[in-house]
Amino acid sequence: MSKVDFNKETGPREVFCGLTSIVWLHRRMPDAFFLVVGSRTCAHLIQSAAGVMIFAEPRFGTAILEEKDLAGLADAHEELNRVVNDLISRRPEIKTLFLVGSCPSEVIKLDLATVAEKLNTQFSGQVRFVNYSGSGIETTFTQGEDGALKALVPLMESTDDKKLLLVGTLANNVEDRFKKIFNNIGINNVESFPPRNSTELPKIGKNTKVLLTQPYLSETIRDLKHRGCEIIYAPFPLGVEGSTKWFLAAADAFKINELKVHEVIAPLANRARQALEKHTEILRGKKLFLLPESQLEISLARFLHNECEMDLIEVGTPYLNKDLMEQELNLLPDDTKIVEGQHVEKQLDRVRATNPDLVVCGMGLANPLEAEGISTKWSIEMVFSPIHGIDQAADLAGLFSRPLKRNQILTSKTLATH
Ligand code: SF4
């Protein structure tokens, strides 16, 4: 492992909760419905995070449970049953219903696993019910996806077929491009989890080789391993370097010569490097500070340093799974400061003291920092944008060069008016 400088920090945190992941999961599986069992705060969060869906046919909702409406636990179960029955009778197209727990104390008391089990019996053959927690207590927002996928693993049937399983939500067009590249390399049986339809879960077994597309799926990976799957450890497919190593790791697991991989991806990589140049011109030598939120921070730091020549001041991450991240850490420059966890006040002090050109952070911190004249980039944008793969490298760099360019323009306009 490279000699990065590991640090841990605990204290007040400023991150979104796991409910946020519903925003990209419901896009991925249009036949699923996400019913948040929560409070009015949860309803507000999910509606503002995914506001656009309110005007379309929504595939998420909130069963609002508040102490003052309920005399006891029996009432809460009754209320939840009423909401679910009403929903299923109005929306017969729902195939999988996720009951998503949250952190209000009245919800924590509910046994959602038992509720899901009873509903599975009642609606057998019509709708499948699974449950997971999107609670904001001790979790960060991408862990919502980990919880949702972990809940689906027991529903995946067994097979001994040899296959490559891509694990982690991808934009559909990115998934199509990845599959085409794998086919050209010589890996033909490639499936994705989560799939595009919640009822078409891939089968898994001892000949399933799992390649992660997202670094925040530790729990899901553990359960896939228990089902006999083999995990391919690799850097994540962000940028040319990460994506190339990701394809090479898959090829190696399928005993395909690496020359074949280079032959297939060389034209893509050349184009991507050229497209990156105009962003690197802006990003080169700029100081970058990543606050912990998405768990993508280490991969982003590697891309922005190695391919866009940014200087890393500090790389925060909410959690660090050293097994999954070892190859990424090896690609970082020696002495990179990694901070696992968060004490938001101390981190903000370090931001101010080091005067970075760009801070990657949560939405709640972005506005105050911008008000202090520090350019920011919302980390949540990385999970809403198609950033994976070689041909997306320039778009990924563009997410970081744009705020800096905007700042340059604003500064030059201000100077011109004085
Ligand atoms: S789950 Fe908890 S943190 Fe998330 S919106 Fe609901 S109350 Fe807030």
Side-chain angles (χ1 to χ4, degrees):
M1 191 171 286
S2 78
K3 297 180 204 77
V4 292
D5 171 19
F6 285 115
N7 301 269
K8 272 202 179 207
E9 197 162 55
T10 53
R13 299 179 318 135
E14 174 73 44
V15 292
F16 272 135
C17 69
L19 297 187
T20 321
S21 61
I22 293 172
V23 179
W24 66 89
L25 287 169
H26 88 267
R27 275 193 213 147
R28 176 66 183 175
M29 294 180 283
D31 62 343
F33 192 98
F34 294 81
L35 183 66
V36 176
V37 185
S39 66
R40 277 176 218 286
T41 313
C42 308
H44 286 310
L45 172 97
I46 196 68
Q47 285 184 2
S48 51
V52 68
M53 287 302 298
I54 293 167
F55 304 106
E57 181 72 351
R59 289 191 299 273
F60 52 82
T62 313
I64 295 171
L65 302 179
E66 282 181 315
E67 208 100 62
K68 63 180 175 351
D69 301 331
L70 307 164
L73 215 48
D75 280 12
H77 280 120
E78 210 173 280
E79 173 63 5
L80 187 53
N81 263 322
R82 189 192 63 73
V83 173
V84 168
N85 278 278
D86 182 47
L87 184 61
I88 303 293
S89 63
R90 279 190 296 113
R91 304 285 300 274
E93 76 279 9
I94 296 171
K95 297 285 180 272
T96 305
L97 200 150
F98 289 86
L99 294 172
V100 191
S102 58
C103 51
S105 56
E106 51 273 38
V107 175
I108 290 172
K109 283 180 229 152
L110 283 174
D111 180 0
L112 286 184
T114 307
V115 175
E117 208 178 295
K118 284 187 184 152
L119 288 166
N120 271 323
T121 312
Q122 184 188 340
F123 290 97
S124 172
Q126 190 186 345
V127 187
R128 278 191 317 204
F129 291 82
V130 281
N131 75 287
Y132 72 95
S133 171
S135 158
I137 300 173
E138 295 302 318
T139 58
T140 191
F141 73 99
T142 44
Q143 281 170 288
E145 174 168 346
D146 197 14
L149 298 192
K150 177 183 162 69
L152 291 173
V153 172
L155 306 181
M156 297 165 89
E157 291 176 24
S158 297
T159 181
D160 283 345
D161 290 352
K162 191 172 174 183
K163 67 168 74 171
L164 177 65
L165 184 66
L166 306 180
V167 175
T169 300
L170 287 171
N172 290 354
N173 57 344
V174 172
E175 179 196 12
D176 290 339
R177 282 205 289 274
F178 277 161
K179 284 187 174 169
K180 197 165 164 225
I181 294 172
F182 279 121
N183 290 348
N184 291 340
I185 289 171
I187 304 172
N188 293 308
N189 194 1
V190 184
E191 292 184 79
S192 297
F193 179 53
R196 295 186 191 192
N197 285 312
S198 66
T199 50
E200 290 170 9
L201 293 174
K203 295 180 182 175
I204 50 170
K206 62 180 190 317
N207 293 320
T208 303
K209 296 178 195 295
V210 167
L211 188 59
L212 277 171
T213 65
Q214 306 282 12
Y216 42 74
L217 299 170
S218 299
E219 297 268 316
T220 306
I221 285 303
R222 202 174 56 207
D223 288 7
L224 287 170
K225 262 192 202 165
H226 285 155
R227 291 285 303 274
C229 301
E230 179 195 328
I231 312 300
I232 302 171
Y233 291 95
F236 291 85
L238 300 183
V240 178
E241 181 190 34
S243 305
T244 301
K245 291 185 185 297
W246 187 75
F247 284 119
L248 284 169
D252 186 49
F254 282 80
K255 306 209 179 332
I256 292 169
N257 193 309
E258 68 176 71
L259 287 176
K260 181 70 196 168
V261 179
H262 288 300
E263 183 189 307
V264 171
I265 65 172
L268 294 176
N270 290 338
R271 262 204 312 274
R273 282 191 198 102
Q274 274 174 18
L276 268 174
E277 274 169 23
K278 67 173 191 281
H279 301 289
T280 304
E281 271 171 32
I282 299 170
L283 297 170
R284 181 177 294 123
K286 298 287 189 313
K287 293 190 286 175
L288 177 70
F289 200 119
L290 296 110
L291 290 169
E293 199 188 40
S294 66
Q295 295 193 58
L296 287 163
E297 291 85 3
I298 291 174
S299 306
L300 290 173
R302 180 262 301 155
F303 167 68
L304 290 166
H305 175 79
N306 295 0
E307 293 182 58
C308 304
E309 302 178 37
M310 293 190 84
D311 293 338
L312 305 175
I313 300 178
E314 181 171 319
V315 183
T317 180
Y319 301 100
L320 181 59
N321 181 329
K322 284 192 181 161
D323 288 340
L324 293 184
M325 297 315 291
E326 182 178 356
Q327 305 218 11
E328 286 284 6
L329 292 167
N330 284 339
L331 295 171
L332 286 174
D334 280 352
D335 301 324
T336 301
K337 184 173 182 185
I338 306 278
V339 179
E340 182 187 11
Q342 185 168 40
H343 186 303
V344 70
E345 313 290 346
K346 289 184 185 169
Q347 270 164 344
L348 288 176
D349 286 347
R350 293 201 295 276
V351 168
R352 291 179 187 116
T354 51
N355 194 25
D357 295 292
L358 187 67
V359 177
V360 178
C361 61
M363 285 165 85
L365 296 175
N367 278 350
L369 287 173
E370 290 276 345
E372 292 178 32
I374 298 170
S375 293
T376 60
K377 170 58 37 194
W378 296 345
S379 46
I380 200 163
E381 269 188 75
M382 310 306 145
V383 287
F384 291 158
S385 313
I387 58 169
H388 293 77
I390 295 175
D391 33 15
Q392 296 297 122
D395 286 354
L396 177 56
L399 290 175
F400 300 92
S401 65
R402 260 193 305 277
L404 289 177
K405 200 170 172 188
R406 188 191 59 207
N407 240 18
Q408 277 170 7
I409 293 168
L410 287 175
T411 314
S412 55
K413 274 190 182 159
T414 316
L415 288 174
T417 54
H418 281 80

